[in-house]
Structures are given as structure tokens and as C-alpha cells.
Amino acid sequence: MLQAASFRGGDKAPVQILTAKQQIELGSISTEIAFNRGVRIYEAGSPADFVFIVKEGVVKAFQDLPTGGERVLTFLFAGDVCGLAQDGRYVNSVKALTPTICFKIPIGALTGMFLRDSELELQFLIKMAHELREAQRQQIILTRQQAHARVAMFLRMLQLRDGKESPRIELAMSRRDIARYLGLSDEAVSRAAARLNREGVVAFPGRHVAQILDRSRFEQLALAA
Amino acid sequence: MLQAASFRGGDKAPVQILTAKQQIELGSISTEIAFNRGVRIYEAGSPADFVFIVKEGVVKAFQDLPTGGERVLTFLFAGDVCGLAQDGRYVNSVKALTPTICFKIPIGALTGMFLRDSELELQFLIKMAHELREAQRQQIILTRQQAHARVAMFLRMLQLRDGKESPRIELAMSRRDIARYLGLSDEAVSRAAARLNREGVVAFPGRHVAQILDRSRFEQLALAA
DNA sequence: CGCTAGATTGATAAAGGTCAATCATTGTGG
DNA sequence: CCACAATGATTGACCTTTATCAATCTAGCG
């Protein structure tokens, strides 16, 4: 079933806000596409004919910088929407970090459906507002002075994302992607993780797993700003 | 006439996208309010009953940090919308930096109008998408290593905002607000400005004015990333 | 006209960037 | 199935940059 445009109604678990009818409608104009790990879903600057909704997997939205570097703007998970356009062109590139399945929706069909179903349109508006809040939260993270505090906030964001606050956090993205998301060098992320580990706050049993050891100190780091 | 939800159709001048009819409709459910310099328009955490559209003036949206500091999330100018809510509460505070006039719209009346006028709703959706892009652009600024490059990008943002690329830029906000927007200390902003001045790139004839002297070097600083 | 918040400038120290080397992991081909 | 290559991750040494602390200066504003 189409999980489009689900969003968080607070700091709680994601909320399904589309009616069954709307999901069927959306399903009727969308097609499912699978992407392998590392595949570009679309490229910045190319014609924006489709909106994508992530059904399964994790993807990153990023921009290539003139200097050859790369800035990761956001990570997208199941239920997230991407395909933001400006003047009919995508403004950033999107790449699958894990095997991913997306719903692919022609932008014309979607806006057409908006005209008929104002409620559906409102859900997308709400979804967009949520993404804006996330981007602003990320701005706050980026101004944190200490690298290990940034990493802690990042881990906390991932933890909150799945509602259930399990101490075990899956990291689908590479250290490099984290660094480019947090505005740090690869080395700084490594050192920050090492420090959190050394201080007994977070353990990293594997490169794609984090385990919160000292919840209160972790929260303290992640919340204080 | 109501300038609600105007947005940029590219990197060009703001575009008026509401029809005369929509402007009248919006006007019928909105009231104008004036705020003096320094007045809080609304407070984070308070019930979000109204959406505001800036008609005149400059305001800042910010969050107070647990540490007593303050993070400026964005500056809002004529035509910008604020009043973003989560669970019926404002997520950030908004304060007038100059004498300001806003349209104040009851959120209920606005969503009601959305149901009747899908086109109007789409304009707000587009506006929201634009704000999201701006927030992402800001994320890129915040990851710039050198302080003077951040300041240059900030000035460029202000310059582009009014469409006409005049070398003279009005700075409605204080150095402190700029610092808190750029994630720098007050001193770093001062020094960055001094450096731009010293190197003949930008002059600061007054504390609220910047004058681009060397356009090409300025662009180079502001664009390179 | 002086007062006060904002802005600038200087000295110091902490933090992360950068460069370089090592270690680990994943994926490939023999 | 294993060896090897290539990419990613970590650690160390050094250096640039900015935060911080402190003093001074400036500009609004009563």
C-alpha cells in the first residue's frame, strides 16, 4: 500500500495521513521503480518530470560543489518525498544508498489530482512544511561548535525518525556521507565517533550501527545547543 | 494590494503569482497589523492561530537555545509567509527588525479557502517549496569554512533578493543577528567584514549598508563552495 | 550630553582542517 | 575460495581558523 506523504505529527511516530482512497488514486498514476545501491535517481539540472516517494530504502539528496566536493542536503527514508523543482529542473541530485524502491509520479498528473482533491494537496503542503522544519533543525546542528555534539544530534535525529527510541541505530550511510551532511571532514567524524565511544556514550559495534550506552549523557549532548 | 506568497521564479525578480481575485479573497479574511522595531510578533510554543504575511519591513525568525543563545533561522521580507506550526504551536519566534506591517490571517479561514481555491493552495505549496530551497541554500552557506566567504554569500543572498543587483545593499539586521544567522561569533563577523573591506571587495559606509566594490571577486567568493 | 547596547580590535587557546600513513572492508578476478 | 585491489575508515602530526575573553570604541537614544 502506498505510504505517500506520511509525516510526523509531533516528535512521535510517523502518522499515516492519506485516506485509503487517496492512496489508491495516487497508486493509479504512479509506477514503482527499484534502484540498486549507488544509482542516481535523478540529476540536478535535468528536467523535473516526476516526483518520487520513497517506498523502501534510504537515499541522499545532494549537490555537487564547484570545488569538486559534495554537500549532502538531506537523507530520505520511506514515506519521504523528493523531486523538488525550480523552473522545471531538479535543484539537487538524488542517489540510492541502499537498494531502494520508489513510487514515480508524473508531476502533471499530481498537480492535476491536486485540483480535484484539495485535501490531498493539503497533505503535500503539510509534508513540505515538515521538510522545511527538518531543514531548519539541520541548520541548528550545523552551527554546533563541537563535532561530537553534531554527531550526537545526527544520531538522535535518526533515532527519532523511526519513532521507537531504540538504543540501536542503523546507519545506512557512509561516514563520508555523514561528514558531508554535518559539514565536517571525514576525519572529524571519525574522531567524534571515537570520542563518543571513549567516553562511554555511544558504541559503534559496526560501521553501520550505533548503540546508545549512556542515554542521559547522549540526550544532554544532543539537546543542548 | 495584497502581495501574498509572491515567490521567485528563478534567480530573477520576485514574481506575483496571485490573481487579483485571490488577493481580494485573502484580503477579506486578513487584517493588517503594524509592529514597532524589536517587537515579538509571536512566540515559539504559543498556539498557532494565525499565519502572517509580511507587507512591509524585515523580521527575523529565531529559536532561543537552551544555553541562553539564539539561533536565527531566517530573515523575512515583504511577501514572505510565516507562522509555520507543528501540533498547533509555533515552532519558532518571530521579531520585527524594522517597523513592520503584516497581514494576519486566521489559520482556519486560510485552510477553508484552500478547500475552495485549489489554485491558491498550490501557490502556498510553491511558496513553501521555495522556502525549503532557501533553507537548503543556507545549509550550504553554513558549511563554508571561511568566515568572510560566509559573509559574502550572505550579502549575495540579500542582493539577489531584491532582483535588481545593485552594488548597494541595505542591512536591516544587526551584526549580531548576522552572526547568529551565519553560525559565527559576533567578532568573526566583524573581522570578516573588516577583511572584505581591507581587500577592497566590499565597503561598509555605515553599519547598515554594504557596497560591492569588486564585483568579480565578490561573486567568486560568494559562489565558490 | 552622557549613557548604554552594539561593534570593533587585540591576545590567547581550543578545535577542526589538512596532509600523510595505516588499517579495515568490500568486491573482483584468478 | 582465496588473494588482491580499491575504496572507505581511522589515527597521528601539524597548521589554519575561529571561539573566547577582555578592552576599547562607536552610535543611537533618552
Side-chain angles (χ1 to χ4, degrees):
Chain A
M1 187 51 69
L2 193 55
Q3 291 280 330
S6 72
F7 79 116
R8 294 168 186 287
D11 268 351
K12 314 290 191 318
V15 175
Q16 177 53 259
I17 38 74
L18 293 184
T19 64
K21 178 164 156 290
Q22 287 170 337
Q23 291 186 41
I24 292 168
E25 279 181 326
L26 267 184
S28 71
I29 59 172
S30 72
T31 54
E32 280 192 31
I33 304 192
F35 300 94
N36 287 330
R37 205 168 81 92
V39 172
R40 286 210 175 195
I41 296 175
Y42 60 81
E43 191 101 14
S46 59
D49 300 324
F50 300 95
V51 167
F52 296 85
I53 300 175
V54 179
K55 182 190 181 191
E56 280 179 42
V58 183
V59 308
K60 69 169 172 179
F62 64 99
Q63 283 183 16
D64 292 304
L65 301 178
T67 46
E70 173 182 298
R71 169 95 259 272
V72 174
L73 295 166
T74 185
F75 297 106
L76 299 162
F77 301 84
D80 287 331
V81 179
C82 62
L84 195 62
Q86 182 168 37
D87 298 330
R89 311 240 157 214
Y90 293 120
V91 292
N92 48 44
S93 303
V94 173
K95 185 183 281 191
L97 295 179
T98 67
T100 297
I101 301 174
C102 287
F103 297 106
K104 180 178 176 179
I105 307 174
I107 182 69
L110 185 63
T111 53
M113 187 170 289
F114 282 168
L115 291 177
R116 294 190 302 278
D117 187 343
S118 184
E119 194 62 41
L120 175 68
E121 186 176 14
L122 184 60
Q123 298 315 325
F124 272 81
L125 185 57
I126 289 170
K127 178 70 180 169
M128 200 68 84
H130 177 254
E131 302 242 338
L132 178 56
R133 279 195 301 273
E134 288 287 314
Q136 292 186 336
R137 183 196 310 270
Q138 173 63 2
Q139 286 181 18
I140 292 176
I141 293 180
L142 289 174
T143 59
R144 288 301 297 273
Q145 239 42 264
Q146 306 197 44
H148 65 280
R150 279 196 217 182
V151 172
M153 291 184 84
F154 172 70
L155 293 175
R156 180 124 224 282
M157 186 197 76
L158 291 182
Q159 191 183 35
L160 291 176
R161 183 167 280 274
D162 12 82
K164 55 173 171 38
E165 294 201 18
S166 160
R168 182 188 164 88
I169 302 170
E170 303 284 337
L171 306 174
M173 64 292 294
S174 70
R175 290 286 193 272
R176 174 155 299 169
D177 284 331
I178 295 174
R180 286 167 174 177
Y181 179 63
L182 295 179
L184 296 168
S185 64
D186 298 1
E187 296 92 328
V189 172
S190 261
R191 278 188 257 264
R195 175 168 175 177
L196 290 173
N197 190 12
R198 174 163 19 95
E199 295 181 352
V201 181
V202 184
F204 295 87
R207 276 173 174 167
H208 292 287
V209 187
Q211 180 91 20
I212 309 302
L213 298 178
D214 187 334
R215 196 176 189 283
S216 87
R217 294 198 53 202
F218 175 69
E219 301 271 321
Q220 196 180 336
L221 263 178
L223 291 179
Chain B
M1 188 47 71
L2 194 55
Q3 290 281 330
S6 72
F7 80 115
R8 295 169 186 287
D11 266 353
K12 312 290 191 318
V15 175
Q16 178 53 262
I17 38 74
L18 292 184
T19 64
K21 176 162 158 292
Q22 287 171 337
Q23 290 187 42
I24 292 169
E25 280 181 325
L26 268 184
S28 71
I29 59 171
S30 72
T31 55
E32 281 191 30
I33 304 192
F35 299 95
N36 287 328
R37 204 170 81 92
V39 172
R40 285 210 175 195
I41 295 176
Y42 58 80
E43 192 101 14
S46 60
D49 300 323
F50 301 95
V51 168
F52 295 86
I53 301 176
V54 179
K55 182 191 181 190
E56 279 179 43
V58 183
V59 307
K60 68 168 172 179
F62 64 99
Q63 283 186 16
D64 292 303
L65 302 178
T67 47
E70 173 182 299
R71 169 93 255 273
V72 175
L73 296 166
T74 186
F75 296 106
L76 300 163
F77 301 83
D80 286 332
V81 179
C82 62
L84 195 62
Q86 183 167 39
D87 298 330
R89 310 243 159 213
Y90 292 119
V91 292
N92 48 43
S93 303
V94 173
K95 184 182 283 191
L97 295 179
T98 67
T100 297
I101 301 175
C102 287
F103 297 106
K104 181 179 176 180
I105 307 174
I107 183 70
L110 185 63
T111 52
M113 188 170 289
F114 282 167
L115 292 177
R116 294 190 303 278
D117 187 344
S118 184
E119 194 61 41
L120 175 68
E121 186 176 14
L122 185 60
Q123 298 315 324
F124 271 82
L125 184 57
I126 289 170
K127 177 70 181 170
M128 199 67 84
H130 176 254
E131 302 242 337
L132 178 57
R133 278 195 301 271
E134 287 288 312
Q136 292 185 337
R137 183 196 309 270
Q138 173 63 1
Q139 285 181 19
I140 292 176
I141 292 181
L142 289 173
T143 57
R144 289 302 297 273
Q145 238 45 261
Q146 305 197 46
H148 66 279
R150 279 196 218 181
V151 171
M153 290 185 84
F154 173 70
L155 292 175
R156 180 124 222 283
M157 186 196 77
L158 291 182
Q159 191 183 34
L160 291 176
R161 183 167 281 273
D162 11 84
K164 55 173 171 37
E165 294 201 18
S166 160
R168 181 187 164 88
I169 303 170
E170 303 283 338
L171 306 173
M173 62 295 291
S174 70
R175 290 286 193 273
R176 174 156 298 167
D177 284 331
I178 296 174
R180 286 167 175 176
Y181 179 63
L182 295 179
L184 296 168
S185 65
D186 297 1
E187 297 92 328
V189 173
S190 260
R191 279 187 255 264
R195 175 170 175 178
L196 290 174
N197 190 13
R198 176 165 16 97
E199 296 181 352
V201 181
V202 184
F204 295 88
R207 274 171 176 167
H208 292 287
V209 187
Q211 180 91 20
I212 309 303
L213 297 179
D214 187 334
R215 195 176 189 285
S216 87
R217 293 198 53 202
F218 175 69
E219 301 272 323
Q220 197 181 335
L221 263 177
L223 291 179

